[in-house]
Amino acid sequence: MDKVLRSNVFWLVIAFVLAVMLWMIVNIDQPHVPGQQHNDEISVENVDVEVIYDEERYALTEVEEDVRMILTGRRSVLFANQLRTDPYRVYADLSGLEAGTHDVPLQHEGFPDELQVEFIPSHIRVVLEEKGLESYNVELVLTGETEAGFEVGQPAVTPDEVFAIAPVSVLERISTIRGYLNIDNADERLNDEVELKAYDREGNVLEVELSPETAEVEVPIHSPSTTVPLRLDLVNSLPDGLSFSRIALNRESVEVAAPLDVLNTLSEIPVTVDLSEIDGSTTKDVTLPRERQWIYLRPQEVEVQVEVGPTVSRTFNDVPIQVRGLDEAYEVIFEDDEQVLSELVLSGSQERVNDLQQEQLDVYIDVTDLSQGAHTVDIAVDLPSYIQGTPAEDQVNITIQSQRSMSTTTEANEEEEGE
C-alpha cells in the first residue's frame, strides 16, 4: 500500500477523476437546447434570524422564529454555496424603532448574486420592550446538612444587594434574587462564590441581566459549645515534711463543643493532680480528660501552679466553740461552763501558719437534730485551705434546755437567796 501511495501514476489518476467530477458539476445543468435555462431550488427550514436593535435600551421579548428560506439558481451555484465556509447573514433591522410591536422585513447578505433568495414569511413580527433597572436584596439558600453536631451561624453575603436589568414587565415579576450553597457534611467555615438568579413567586427562573452575576458568601459552621468550669482534684498526699503554700489553675474554665444533649449533662471538668509526685514548687501541665462525644475541647491542657514549703506547727489555746443548729427557744449549757477547745495544734507551710489569726478558726458543734437533755457531741473544725488541725478534745458534754426552764430555775434560785 505504501508503494501505491508513493506512485506518481496513482496521484495522476486521482487528479484526473477530480477534474472529471468538477467538469460534470459545472456542465451538468447546461442546456442541450441553446437559449433555454434550467434552475433548481433548495429549501432551508428554521433559519436563524439576527435581530438588530438598541440592546442598551430595549429587550426583545417576542420574535417570530419559524422562518423558511428558499434559494433558487443553477445547480452548480447551489452546490457551491453549500460548500462555502464563509457565513451568510439573514437579519431584521429594528434600528430607530421605539418600544412596541413591529412587522419588519427580512434582509440578507453574503449570498452569490446568481442566487435568488426568498423568505417565508418575508416579514417577521417582533416586540420591543423598554428595559428598567431595579435593585434587590440577595437571598442565600443553604442546601444539605452539616456534619452531625454542627450548627450554621449567620451567613455573610457580599454584595447583599444587586441590580436587575430587564423589561419592566419582567422586573415586576421578580420575587427574589437568590443564590444556592450546598453545606453537606460541612464541619468548618465555608467561603465560596454563588451564582445569582432571579425568581418569580412560583420559583421560576426569569431571564434578566444581573449586576453583579455572582456573590461572595461566608458561612460560619460550628458546633454548639459552652464554657465549663474546672475542678481541682488532689489525689494522694504530699511527701512528709511538705505543705502547700499555694496551688492554683491558670484558668477557671474551658470551652467544650458537643451535641446539646451532651452539653446539658456537663457541670465541671476535673483537673487531677497526684500530690505524691510533687517534691517542690513547680508548674505542671495537665492534659484534661476528653469524652468521645465531644467535638473539641479548648484548651486541651491547663497549667497547675504549685508552691510548697516545709511543714511547721502552731498551737492555739482556749479556742471558742460555736453552736450551730440551735432553735431560739433553747440554749446549750456546756459541762463546767467551758465553751472552749483547750488546745488546737495546726500544721502547714510556714507562710500560711504564721499568717493565721484565731478569728479564722471555725470550731463548732452541730445540735440540729438533738432534743432536750444531756448529750455528748463531736467537735468539728473548719480550717483555711491547706492547713491541718488536731484538736485536744474530739467531743464535749452539753445539756440542751428551753429558755423557759432556764428562766424558772433562775427565779427559784433568786428566791432561795432572798430567804
Side-chain angles (χ1 to χ4, degrees), residues 251-319:
R251 60 187 305 120
E252 296 180 352
S253 61
V254 292
E255 182 184 7
V256 177
L260 282 176
D261 58 339
V262 175
L263 292 180
N264 291 336
T265 65
L266 276 179
S267 58
E268 55 186 6
I269 296 175
V271 181
T272 304
V273 178
D274 187 348
L275 299 183
S276 65
E277 298 176 354
I278 296 176
D279 55 8
S281 297
T282 184
T283 297
K284 294 179 66 67
D285 292 327
V286 178
T287 300
L288 299 176
R290 175 172 176 171
E291 299 294 333
R292 183 178 57 84
Q293 303 96 323
W294 297 358
I295 295 170
Y296 66 76
L297 170 66
R298 297 175 180 165
Q300 298 183 15
E301 285 188 348
V302 294
E303 288 184 356
V304 181
Q305 299 166 349
V306 181
E307 296 179 10
V308 297
T311 302
V312 298
S313 297
R314 182 180 175 188
T315 302
F316 288 83
N317 298 109
D318 298 332
V319 181

Side-chain angles (χ1 to χ4, degrees), residues 6 36 40 57 63 184 244 265-266 277 286 293 317 331 351 395 397 405:
R6 287 195 293 268
Q36 186 177 3
D40 287 344
R57 291 185 56 193
V63 60
D184 258 348
F244 283 114
T265 65
L266 276 179
E277 298 176 354
V286 178
Q293 303 96 323
N317 298 109
E331 65 177 352
E351 177 184 353
Q395 296 179 322
N397 296 319
S405 299

Side-chain angles (χ1 to χ4, degrees), residues 172-215:
E172 292 174 348
R173 294 172 55 200
I174 294 178
S175 173
T176 181
I177 304 296
R178 189 183 302 156
Y180 288 85
L181 180 66
N182 191 307
I183 60 171
D184 258 348
N185 301 317
D187 59 2
E188 61 183 0
R189 181 180 297 270
L190 296 178
N191 293 278
D192 209 340
E193 182 179 78
V194 296
E195 181 183 4
L196 301 179
K197 292 184 179 180
Y199 296 84
D200 64 13
R201 295 184 183 278
E202 286 73 39
N204 301 309
V205 178
L206 300 174
E207 292 296 329
V208 302
E209 178 185 345
L210 296 178
S211 179
E213 298 178 342
T214 61

